[in-house]
Amino acid sequence: MTQPISVIAKSLVRERTRTGLSLAEIARRAGIAKSTLSQLESGNGNPSLETLWSLCVALGIPFARLLEPQQPNTQVIRRGEGTKVTAEHAHYQAILLAACPPGARRDVYMLMAQPGADRISQPHPPGSVEHIIVTQGRALVGLTEAPEELGEGDYICYPADQPHIFKALEQDTYALMVAEQN
């Protein structure tokens, strides 16, 4: 059985970046040579189960996280979509767009943008996520390699620890942004 070294390599880099620890520190904590970890992160080598387990302990992650490829979790909900809960005695509906994960910090912003100068953001700290609801106008929003066109009432959620963009497509485009840091 061959090991999915490319998935393991990407997972190791992702998780080490998330911790903010150096290559040398993770190798020290795992009890392996720094060169071994460097090779594994480059997609080279044939790590033993014991080596991978030690790395998981050093990174503070479950073993399965090394073997599961992580995909950007971009979610789009269009206006009028989603599961609605309606009040019995009032003209009131609620749609849950995103629940707050444990230990997360969320900041709320009102965005005001005009066409022309696009807002291209560099990656924020590992684990950062942005939630945006366009309240007026239209905008191109999300990861720079796969932005989504949103109109009034549309929602998007994307990993903000990757390059991302907010590009107004109409004059006086407004949006509500919730920036989440885990």
Side-chain angles (χ1 to χ4, degrees), residues 109-176:
Y109 302 88
M110 175 59 74
L111 307 178
M112 299 156 282
Q114 303 296 330
D118 306 342
R119 174 65 179 135
I120 298 174
S121 297
Q122 295 306 309
H124 301 319
S128 296
V129 175
E130 288 184 357
H131 306 261
I132 293 185
I133 301 169
V134 173
T135 58
Q136 180 177 309
R138 289 182 317 111
L140 198 60
V141 184
L143 300 178
T144 54
E145 76 249 8
E148 295 281 341
E149 184 175 327
L150 302 180
E152 292 180 13
D154 289 345
Y155 162 83
I156 187 169
C157 172
Y158 53 88
D161 55 4
Q162 299 176 42
H164 49 285
I165 185 171
F166 188 98
K167 176 180 182 173
L169 300 175
E170 292 182 2
Q171 288 292 112
D172 300 323
T173 295
Y174 288 80
L176 176 69

Side-chain angles (χ1 to χ4, degrees), residues 20 73 107-108 138:
N73 295 322
D107 300 322
V108 180
R138 289 182 317 111

Side-chain angles (χ1 to χ4, degrees), residues 90-117:
H91 297 290
Y92 183 90
Q93 295 180 333
I95 298 173
L96 175 64
L97 301 177
C100 186
R105 174 184 163 182
R106 286 195 172 162
D107 300 322
V108 180
Y109 302 88
M110 175 59 74
L111 307 178
M112 299 156 282
Q114 303 296 330

